[in-house]
Amino acid sequence: MSDKCAVVIDLKFERREVDQALADAFKGRQVLHASDKGADLSQARYAVLWKPDADLFQRAPRLDVLFSGGAGVDSVLSLPGLPEIPIVRFVDHTLTTRMSEWVVLQCLAHLRQVPAYLKQQRESHWRELPQPQASEVTVGVMGLGVLGRDAAEKLKIMGFEVIGWSRSRKALEGIDTYDTGGLDDFLGRTDILVGLLPLTPQTRGMFDAALFGRLRKGGRLGGPVFINAGRGGSQVETDVVAALQGGTLAGASLDVFEREPLDRASPLWRMENVLITPHAASASDVRALFRNAEQQIERHEAGDPLQHVVDRSAGY
Ligand code: NDP
Ligand code: OXD
């Protein structure tokens, strides 16, 4: 056996996919699978995890670093028995690129009236709809972290007017930015609201009736559009439904929900102006995840600081 410290894997990917990715990862290190209930994890120093079983930290009491299988760490931070050790978030261009593709796709879908054309197609109805220009529509991105920033820049390239909001104010070329104190001004300019916020006590339930009511009225899309790929816990789903039914919102694209999978009885499934994806905006690439964890372990063992460490007091 190698004298390099062992790694535990506790991910909810298909085991075959994990095994294929492991063929090129953690060379010279023992890799243990938490799903093998007989495996001795007592000496493992690193864990790569996503929604692990409740007994992981009892079985692996000597961990030094946790690697989250996703960019969002709300579920990791709420794990029972979570040890006081660094948690490294997953940050990788594959994840960022996928998310920006999803966000740009959704903004374009509402700009170019895809939900209305899909309805017309189902009814074999030939009718050209108005075509506002991207430059006439302001997209407000809430959360200008790794994902929000890239999405904002790509939306800008597509020609949208883009503004952004985050806890601390950011400087982005060609994009007006706001901090928490500027929320009213930010919302009052926004035609398409994009949520790319982590779920924290501050962001829980933030997308509610009051917030939707502060979005810009009278824009070129016939009303504001809400797009969320951050976390479902940030949206009050009954308020989203009511805002769509009452016309406060003209449309929505939702990838995340208060409870996942989204209940079959949810009216959101049947709304013609709503596009739904099953928390699939940007899936973690398991090869990239292992490559990242391996690089961070090498840094850690060489005495260099870990990167993308979660700030537990901020919750992300
Ligand atoms: P980052 O940590 O890089 O960025 C988070 C951003 O949110 C930062 O700009 C931060 O502000 C801002 N923010 C946090 N709390 C507040 C607050 N209370 N008020 C205002 N702004 C706030 O995260 P990522 O960009 O990497 O990821 C964002 C989220 O996307 C993840 O947490 C996860 O929930 C979700 N996600 C969803 C996926 C999907 O498939 N649907 C896939 C991957 C991630 P500041 O810059 O000042 O710190
Ligand atoms: C993530 C996610 O946080 O998949 O990476 O939601």
Side-chain angles (χ1 to χ4, degrees):
M1 194 199 300
S2 151
D3 55 1
K4 285 189 176 181
C5 298
V7 183
V8 188
I9 308 292
D10 198 345
L11 294 169
K12 297 296 172 256
F13 296 101
E14 296 269 332
R15 177 67 182 261
R16 197 169 49 90
E17 198 187 339
V18 170
D19 285 342
Q20 277 170 1
L22 281 172
D24 303 320
F26 304 116
K27 287 273 184 270
R29 247 174 237 287
Q30 189 184 20
V31 174
L32 301 154
H33 293 272
S35 56
D36 295 343
K37 285 298 169 192
D40 174 9
L41 312 182
S42 61
Q43 302 306 310
R45 290 300 176 91
Y46 307 108
V48 187
L49 51 84
W50 187 246
K51 304 193 174 153
D53 289 346
D55 60 356
L56 176 69
F57 302 124
Q58 282 151 19
R59 292 175 66 203
R62 297 191 65 205
L63 294 172
D64 277 348
V65 184
L66 300 180
F67 296 96
S68 165
V73 290
D74 46 293
S75 60
V76 176
L77 289 175
S78 62
L79 288 172
L82 181 70
E84 286 289 329
I85 56 177
I87 303 165
V88 173
R89 257 163 32 83
F90 181 45
V91 173
D92 188 75
H93 72 94
T94 53
L95 193 83
T96 307
T97 303
R98 283 174 181 167
M99 181 56 84
S100 293
E101 286 165 359
W102 187 89
V103 170
V104 172
L105 175 73
Q106 302 307 324
C107 289
L108 287 175
H110 290 283
L111 176 75
R112 300 307 306 264
Q113 314 219 40
V114 168
Y117 279 121
L118 286 174
K119 179 171 187 289
Q120 289 192 185
Q121 186 176 337
R122 282 192 298 274
E123 295 164 354
S124 313
H125 183 47
W126 181 281
R127 182 166 70 107
E128 193 180 326
L129 299 170
Q131 294 184 9
Q133 304 217 16
S135 59
E136 298 173 289
V137 172
T138 300
V139 183
V141 180
M142 287 181 87
L144 290 176
V146 175
L147 303 182
R149 184 188 177 118
D150 190 73
E153 285 167 348
K154 286 176 179 159
L155 288 164
K156 186 87 197 160
I157 292 168
M158 288 312 302
F160 287 100
E161 182 67 26
V162 183
I163 59 177
W165 181 84
S166 52
R167 210 154 65 108
S168 56
R169 190 154 174 210
K170 301 287 177 294
L172 299 181
E173 203 182 321
I175 296 176
D176 289 347
T177 56
Y178 299 82
D179 61 17
T180 43
L183 184 59
D184 265 335
D185 292 343
F186 166 85
L187 293 173
R189 286 181 63 187
T190 296
D191 297 309
I192 301 182
L193 181 67
V194 174
L196 278 174
L197 288 167
L199 181 61
T200 70
Q202 287 71 39
T203 64
R204 185 174 287 283
M206 168 171 258
F207 301 119
D208 64 1
L211 183 143
F212 298 139
R214 287 146 78 192
L215 292 166
R216 184 153 91 115
K217 295 173 187 66
R220 291 285 276 126
L221 301 182
V225 170
F226 174 51
I227 295 179
N228 193 13
R231 279 292 180 267
S234 296
Q235 72 206 12
V236 179
E237 243 145 76
T238 49
D239 286 6
V240 177
V241 170
L244 287 160
Q245 284 169 338
T248 305
L249 290 176
S253 289
L254 303 171
D255 183 60
V256 289
F257 301 89
E258 283 177 35
R259 284 192 54 195
E260 295 175 2
L262 179 63
D263 196 294
R264 288 175 64 88
S266 170
L268 290 167
W269 285 114
R270 285 168 291 283
M271 290 183 156
E272 280 167 348
N273 48 353
V274 176
L275 298 171
I276 287 179
T277 50
H279 199 140
S282 183
S284 296
D285 178 309
V286 69
R287 282 176 198 274
L289 179 60
F290 290 161
R291 195 168 54 236
N292 265 271
E294 202 166 15
Q295 284 164 359
Q296 295 288 333
I297 290 172
E298 277 162 23
R299 288 179 67 89
H300 180 66
E301 294 185 347
D304 293 329
L306 292 163
Q307 297 165 310
H308 314 302
V309 175
V310 173
D311 174 349
R312 287 190 189 218
S313 61
Y316 63 99

